[in-house]
Amino acid sequence: MDLFTQIFGLIGCLMVSVPFLLGTSIGKAEWHPSTWRFILTNLAGACILLISLFYHFNLGSFVIELFWITGGCISVYKKFKGQ
């Protein structure tokens, strides 16, 4: 189970980090922060990381994931409203 949770957390990390790198640092248009691809991948990654923290808890990581998920939910809401 420990190896599974480590891999699960790593997948979440990649789902948050790679789109951020591609969309903001490298400037790939298909990964722009306002695209559904970016928003949903980031949100899913943050949720995966949050779940993995239930097995290997770290308060700082837990709090940042809550903020990351909140930001993702706000982005989804704004996208649905057409903003």
Side-chain angles (χ1 to χ4, degrees), residues 7-55:
I7 292 171
F8 193 62
L10 183 59
I11 290 168
C13 174
L14 291 172
M15 289 175 72
V16 169
S17 303
V18 171
F20 186 79
L21 176 71
L22 292 174
T24 61
S25 299
I26 295 175
K28 295 278 187 184
E30 62 272 15
W31 286 102
H32 188 274
S34 65
T35 63
W36 278 113
R37 176 184 286 181
F38 181 94
I39 294 166
L40 295 179
T41 303
N42 247 267
L43 184 56
C47 289
I48 288 171
L49 279 168
L50 187 70
I51 292 167
S52 75
L53 286 171
F54 289 114
Y55 295 95

Side-chain angles (χ1 to χ4, degrees), residues 67-83:
F67 277 103
W68 209 261
I69 290 168
T70 301
C73 289
I74 291 169
S75 295
V76 167
Y77 175 76
K78 289 175 81 172
K79 196 86 165 141
F80 273 121
K81 287 201 62 155
Q83 296 178 356

